[in-house]
Amino acid sequence: MAQLAPIATALGAGASIYSTVRQAQTQSSNARAQAEAARQQEAARQQQLAAQQAAEARAREARLAGTTAAARARLAASGVSPDEGSAAALTAGFERDAAAAQADSDQVFAARLSAGRRSLLNNDGSLTTWLRAGSSFGNSLRNLLD
């Protein structure tokens, strides 16, 4: 009977190790699937943000072109050359304002992109499972030696 105890302990340790390894494989598989889903969601979010950014830039550009054309037409109708003096300063001011608005929009875009980025330090728990397996194996080995 005393000879069966070490064999039973060894079988128990083997079953425990096998169970822990299977659990680690399952967790690893789940972590990969979750990481892939997160990557796909992040890519879709980035595409959506980029499309929104491009649409806003086109709308801003169209407003600038319309405002500049209207100002130049009014100036030309009043007999002022739209390319000289205060008229040129006016159109240059429109362009500066549009450039500043674009820069602000770019900063918001960059912040929105980086806000959803997952940390590279997020763990998937697989190391913990392997450490538990080692601990379980060590305990079983110690029991066999005692």
Side-chain angles (χ1 to χ4, degrees):
M1 208 47 150
Q3 295 171 346
L4 292 178
I7 294 173
T9 303
L11 288 175
S16 174
I17 290 171
Y18 176 76
S19 171
T20 304
V21 168
R22 291 296 299 163
Q23 180 184 6
Q25 289 172 341
T26 302
Q27 284 180 349
S28 178
S29 175
N30 289 341
R32 279 193 302 272
Q34 287 176 349
E36 180 60 30
R39 274 193 294 278
Q40 289 175 355
Q41 288 175 351
E42 180 66 18
R45 189 182 72 79
Q46 287 181 358
Q47 287 176 348
Q48 181 183 16
L49 287 174
Q52 181 181 2
Q53 175 75 1
E56 289 174 1
R58 283 191 304 273
R60 205 172 11 265
E61 190 176 305
R63 281 192 311 270
L64 173 63
T67 303
T68 304
R72 290 174 63 85
R74 280 190 218 113
L75 290 169
S78 67
V80 177
S81 174
D83 296 325
E84 297 176 1
S86 62
L90 179 67
T91 57
F94 290 152
E95 291 171 359
R96 276 194 307 275
D97 289 346
Q102 181 64 43
D104 291 343
S105 180
D106 289 344
Q107 288 177 348
V108 169
F109 176 67
R112 288 174 70 189
L113 279 180
S114 65
R117 187 175 301 148
R118 292 177 52 98
S119 171
L120 295 177
L121 300 176
N122 288 347
N123 60 355
D124 61 359
S126 61
L127 180 62
T128 304
T129 305
W130 288 105
L131 290 175
R132 284 186 194 141
S135 174
S136 174
F137 179 72
N139 288 337
S140 298
L141 188 61
R142 187 173 358 150
N143 287 338
L144 283 174
L145 295 175
D146 287 343

